[in-house]
């Protein structure tokens, strides 16, 4: 400045706080009866976090980033839940953040061949079989040489051959298709005894 006054200056400290970050991981699918551990991450200004669910299942510890979720029977019946992780509100002007992921729960394939059964030689047999859950198709097989009227029907009819009758018994097995998602195919077997 002009005149006898000296130039002056002033300083200030600008603190830049890191933004809280969190990720619940992407959408995922599990098979009913399984647990799930989201590949979650937390960082930035966040020092803690909490998990919540739209379902009625439970976390082993809602405060762990890598918590394990156990779906309830209600969750399984609903077919999916949303899992949300929310950070703490860090010090300073940065806000808490949250992220959600959809967990789809596929039904397990189920099948029953029925119990062991005995028939007389010359008779046919219709197993009291059932199929359900995630299974939409199934196929029958035999350890014998007899035939099914339609091996793709749950309630089929098996006709033993002379070789089956000579062996005295055969094992009939029904196997489901491999349902969509992570649930595997399943099978069940029963012993058919053939009396002379």
């Amino acid at each position: 400045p002009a005149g006898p006054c000296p130039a002056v200056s002033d300083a200030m400290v600008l603190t830049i706080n890191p933004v809280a970050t969190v990720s619940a991981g992407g959408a995922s699918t599990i098979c009913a009866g399984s647990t799930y551990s989201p590949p979650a991450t937390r960082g930035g200004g966040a020092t803690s976090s909490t998990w919540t669910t739209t379902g009625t299942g439970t976390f082993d510890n809602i405060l762990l980033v890598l918590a394990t979720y156990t779906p309830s029977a209600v969750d399984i019946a609903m077919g999916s839940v949303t899992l949300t992780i929310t950070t703490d509100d860090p010090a300073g002007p940065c806000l808490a953040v949250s992220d959600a992921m959809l967990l789809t729960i596929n039904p397990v394939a189920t099948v029953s061949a029925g119990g062991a059964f005995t028939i007389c030689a010359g008779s046919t047999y219709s197993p009291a079989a059932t199929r359900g859950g995630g299974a939409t198709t199934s196929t029958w097989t035999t350890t014998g040489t007899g035939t099914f009227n339609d091996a793709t029907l749950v309630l089929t009819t098996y006709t033993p051959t002379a070789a089956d009758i000579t062996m005295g018994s055969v094992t009939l097995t029904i196997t489901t298709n491999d349902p969509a998602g992570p649930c595997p195919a399943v099978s069940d077997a029963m012993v058919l005894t053939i009396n002379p």
Side-chain angles (χ1 to χ4, degrees):
C5 298
V8 294
S9 64
D10 191 21
M12 57 91 64
V13 174
L14 175 62
T15 301
I16 304 170
N17 290 341
V19 174
T21 61
V22 72
S23 171
S28 192
T29 302
I30 62 170
C31 194
S34 300
T35 60
Y36 181 68
S37 297
T41 58
R42 178 186 71 217
T47 57
S48 65
S49 54
T50 305
W51 281 101
T52 56
T53 176
T54 58
T56 58
T58 57
F59 288 96
D60 61 341
N61 184 339
I62 62 171
L63 302 177
L64 293 177
V65 174
L66 299 177
T68 299
Y69 184 73
T70 303
S72 68
V74 173
D75 294 351
I76 294 168
M78 299 258 311
S80 67
V81 294
T82 300
L83 306 180
T84 303
I85 186 169
T86 303
T87 69
D88 60 330
D89 188 2
C94 300
L95 301 175
V97 293
S98 63
D99 190 39
M101 59 85 58
L102 180 67
L103 178 62
T104 301
I105 307 163
N106 286 350
V108 176
T110 61
V111 72
S112 172
F117 201 81
T118 302
I119 62 171
C120 289
S123 300
T124 60
Y125 175 67
S126 296
T130 60
R131 178 186 70 219
T136 56
T137 63
S138 54
T139 305
W140 283 98
T141 56
T142 178
T143 57
T145 57
T147 58
F148 295 96
N149 69 324
D150 185 340
T152 63
L153 294 176
V154 175
L155 301 177
T156 190
T157 300
Y158 182 73
T159 303
T161 61
D164 292 351
I165 295 167
T166 300
M167 286 190 344
S169 69
V170 294
T171 300
L172 305 181
T173 303
I174 185 170
T175 303
T176 70
N177 63 317
D178 189 4
C183 301
V186 294
S187 63
D188 190 39
M190 58 84 59
V191 174
L192 178 63
T193 302
I194 307 163
N195 287 342

